[in-house]
Amino acid sequence: MSNILEQERQKKLQRLIELGVDPYGARFPDTTATTAILARFAEAPKGEGGVTTETFRAAGRLLALRRFGKLAFADLIDQVGKIQVCFNRKELGDQAFEVFECLDLGDIIGVEGPLFVTRTGETTLLIRQLTVLSKSLLPPPEKWHGLSDVETRYRQRYVDLFANRDVRTTFVRRSGIISHFRRVLAEQGFMEVETPMMQAVYGGAAARPFVTHHNTLDMDLFLRISPELYLKRLLVGGLEKVFEINRNFRNEGISTRHNPEFTMMELYQAYADYNDMMVITETLVSGAAQEVCGSMKLPFRDREIDYTPPWRRVTYAELVREHAGVDIKDEPAVRAKARQLGIEEANKDIAVVVNTVFEATVEEHLVQPTFVKDYPAPLCPLTRRMPGDPTIALRFEAYVSGMELANAYTELNDPAIQEANFNQQLAGEAEGETMRIMDTDFVTALKHGMPPAGGLGIGIDRVVMLLTNSPSIRDVILFPMLRGTGQ
């Protein structure tokens, strides 16, 4: 059937050429967004029959075409909305109406004409000039929603965007959220910077990298898993407030919360600590909720999330005690709890076991925005320790709806401790750690003196998921990673 439909469209394309019409158009300037045209109608001067004396130009894709002989109506959609348009043979003339008869759903056209209101009360643009801008050779889907189409929607995002208004809205809001972050940080004196995406030595997170090869230098390079160590070098250099909205790459699994290529906002502020990072986090996210999505209270799945600051602040140990019933410093009790939960704990560092128990018992309860602070130090090799208790790291993770969306530290700036932590990570490679080479240049940078600082990473994709009520990370990435090419 699809081949037959495509053949029919090919015939119409040839007919347009015969009529002297370029089926792929050209520049069509001075257009007005459909929403702005509709907003203008009330104030526009009217003539006979309530038709505006002012004309408007719009361009977009033709959908919902309804033909009635010498009269037809359709929806013209652009990036921001849609407007009903009217094709009237009397207004267009015979030649232009023949051009209209070569149009199909999905074609991109430019139109010009006045506005009027139909008998059903819909504001409509009466087309007096019609320009074909791009002939669509494939029909748009009649029914695009539903689980059976999810994979196709991701593979053919270009169709998904014009067929589903909600999808367009999600990505417009994504752009708005990122713009909001940038503006707020700039107002607070942060400078946006760029750091390498290909690195000779990777670091800043516990993750497996993608490996590539530079032919001229004949050396392997790694796609970055984090910009952290480069951004901290800038603190050493005297740039006291820096941030980067960046793409990171981790050669790991794919799920509703993970994509191998993802967007992170990471910032560092000299003379600050993780308490300052909490304020920045709730300011950015709650501000985006209000400004971009219209409310501090937004739905996510079957719950309402209240982003109004201040968010709850609670220690890691308190949460494990509350939900797992054990003290994180009581190793026998923690290991017993792990076995009770079916977690393999033998031959694993106690900090790893504690964190696995945390994930199994605590995370699902962190529904409303919560800062979980003061983590076991072995989990945080780049973090300053708590004064008086070196077993605790001054780190927090922000959770919403059981999902981590931000991670922050009071940064470690002691080069001796940092080098010792790196050595410990390298020794743990056999146990599944992912650090292969020590970044000795970063240790050298710390020896020059890095000011005390707070650092923060926010997962942009997850923030967008939460604020747009999107259940999967693939719903908020325009072109997510998929298996194979898929046809």
Side-chain angles (χ1 to χ4, degrees):
M1 178 60 117
S2 60
N3 288 336
I4 295 174
L5 293 174
E6 187 173 351
Q7 290 169 11
E8 289 298 319
R9 287 172 178 247
Q10 286 280 3
K11 291 178 182 178
K12 291 181 179 180
L13 181 142
Q14 291 303 318
R15 181 56 182 156
L16 286 172
I17 295 172
E18 292 168 4
L19 292 170
V21 174
D22 182 351
Y24 295 105
R27 180 172 179 263
F28 193 78
D30 305 322
T31 60
T32 302
T34 55
T35 51
I37 292 173
L38 292 171
R40 172 67 182 152
F41 175 73
E43 298 178 359
K46 314 293 192 300
E48 184 179 351
V51 178
T52 62
T53 57
E54 182 180 357
T55 60
F56 302 87
R57 286 167 63 86
R61 194 177 293 273
L62 204 59
L63 293 181
L65 181 58
R66 305 169 293 280
R67 302 177 187 267
F68 307 98
K70 298 180 181 181
L71 186 70
F73 293 91
D75 291 339
L76 186 75
I77 67 165
D78 61 8
Q79 178 173 311
V80 298
K82 70 175 182 178
I83 189 170
Q84 180 169 274
V85 295
C86 175
F87 301 88
N88 187 319
R89 186 167 194 151
K90 182 179 178 182
E91 293 284 343
L92 281 171
D94 291 343
Q95 184 174 355
F97 199 78
E98 189 171 357
V99 171
F100 156 70
E101 290 179 325
C102 295
L103 298 181
D104 292 293
L105 294 180
D107 289 352
I108 299 173
I109 62 173
V111 297
E112 182 173 352
L115 300 176
F116 72 101
V117 176
T118 65
R119 284 179 293 180
T120 59
E122 185 162 0
T123 302
T124 302
L125 190 148
L126 178 61
I127 300 174
R128 288 181 176 164
Q129 291 187 19
L130 169 64
T131 304
V132 179
L133 299 176
S134 184
K135 180 66 183 169
S136 173
L137 299 180
L138 293 174
E142 293 181 11
K143 194 172 184 180
W144 197 247
H145 294 284
L147 290 177
S148 62
D149 295 309
V150 165
E151 193 78 2
T152 306
R153 286 179 50 220
Y154 296 146
R155 291 190 187 281
Q156 298 184 3
R157 183 68 87 187
Y158 42 87
V159 179
D160 192 25
L161 285 165
F162 75 69
N164 291 326
R165 177 184 296 274
D166 290 347
V167 173
R168 292 202 307 280
T169 298
T170 293
F171 287 103
V172 169
R173 287 183 172 176
R174 179 188 174 105
S175 178
I177 290 164
I178 294 172
S179 296
H180 173 81
F181 280 19
R182 280 195 164 101
R183 189 183 71 253
V184 171
L185 291 175
E187 290 170 352
Q188 293 188 13
F190 283 86
M191 180 173 72
E192 185 168 8
V193 297
E194 294 177 326
T195 61
M197 295 177 71
M198 292 191 297
Q199 303 175 351
V201 180
Y202 66 91
R208 296 197 178 277
F210 288 93
V211 184
T212 187
H213 187 80
H214 192 286
N215 292 331
T216 301
L217 297 178
D218 191 24
M219 64 183 292
D220 283 344
L221 294 169
F222 306 96
L223 297 185
R224 70 175 170 204
I225 59 175
S226 167
E228 178 171 344
L229 301 186
Y230 284 91
L231 289 171
K232 287 180 177 177
R233 285 170 167 91
L234 300 182
L235 292 181
V236 174
L239 302 181
E240 296 177 355
K241 299 174 83 172
V242 294
F243 80 97
E244 182 173 9
I245 296 177
N246 58 74
R247 304 293 280 181
N248 290 337
F249 307 85
R250 298 183 182 177
N251 197 353
E252 297 173 345
I254 296 175
S255 72
T256 58
R257 297 183 180 185
H258 298 90
N259 193 67
E261 178 183 6
F262 63 97
T263 303
M264 180 76 72
M265 190 283 296
E266 205 155 313
L267 67 82
Y268 293 85
Q269 179 178 350
Y271 317 116
D273 66 10
Y274 75 156
N275 293 297
D276 299 288
M277 300 302 104
M278 291 184 204
V279 175
I280 290 174
T281 302
E282 62 191 7
T283 298
L284 290 174
V285 177
S286 64
Q290 182 65 59
E291 180 178 297
V292 180
C293 302
S295 177
M296 291 280 191
K297 297 180 179 180
L298 297 170
F300 185 69
R301 297 193 173 121
D302 59 346
R303 295 187 174 102
E304 181 181 78
I305 307 298
D306 186 353
Y307 294 97
T308 307
W311 297 357
R312 180 191 182 198
R313 289 149 167 79
V314 59
T315 69
Y316 185 100
E318 288 171 332
L319 287 169
V320 173
R321 190 179 302 113
E322 177 184 348
H323 297 289
V326 295
D327 187 322
I328 63 172
K329 295 185 178 181
D330 185 343
E331 181 170 344
V334 170
R335 291 190 181 276
K337 184 64 179 181
R339 291 192 295 271
Q340 179 187 335
L341 294 169
I343 297 169
E344 177 57 51
E345 51 81 28
N347 301 317
K348 289 186 178 180
D349 186 89
I350 184 58
V352 174
V353 178
V354 167
N355 202 52
T356 307
V357 170
F358 174 89
E359 292 171 350
T361 61
V362 176
E363 287 185 350
E364 64 180 308
H365 299 287
L366 303 176
V367 176
Q368 296 302 322
T370 303
F371 291 117
V372 180
K373 64 177 188 172
D374 302 341
Y375 274 63
L379 299 174
C380 317
L382 298 167
T383 311
R384 181 186 288 270
R385 289 357 184 193
M386 180 175 288
D389 189 351
T391 67
I392 299 298
L394 298 176
R395 169 191 180 184
F396 77 74
E397 289 188 354
Y399 280 84
V400 177
S401 194
M403 180 165 60
E404 177 208 340
L405 63 82
N407 184 27
Y409 309 150
T410 296
E411 299 297 338
L412 176 61
N413 61 345
D414 183 324
I417 296 176
Q418 184 62 83
E419 186 169 15
N421 289 348
F422 277 163
N423 280 321
Q424 186 175 2
Q425 277 188 288
L426 286 169
E429 175 64 21
E431 298 178 14
E433 294 290 343
T434 55
M435 183 178 177
R436 299 180 189 174
I437 307 170
M438 182 187 293
D439 191 338
T440 56
D441 180 71
F442 178 67
V443 176
T444 300
L446 291 184
K447 289 179 179 179
H448 284 282
M450 187 183 91
L456 167 67
I458 297 181
I460 295 293
D461 306 311
R462 291 187 178 182
V463 171
V464 178
M465 284 175 63
L466 289 161
L467 298 189
T468 62
N469 195 14
S470 301
S472 170
I473 196 170
R474 296 198 293 181
D475 293 329
V476 301
I477 296 175
L478 280 168
F479 299 101
M481 182 68 70
L482 299 169
R483 186 184 299 276
T485 57
Q487 298 295 329

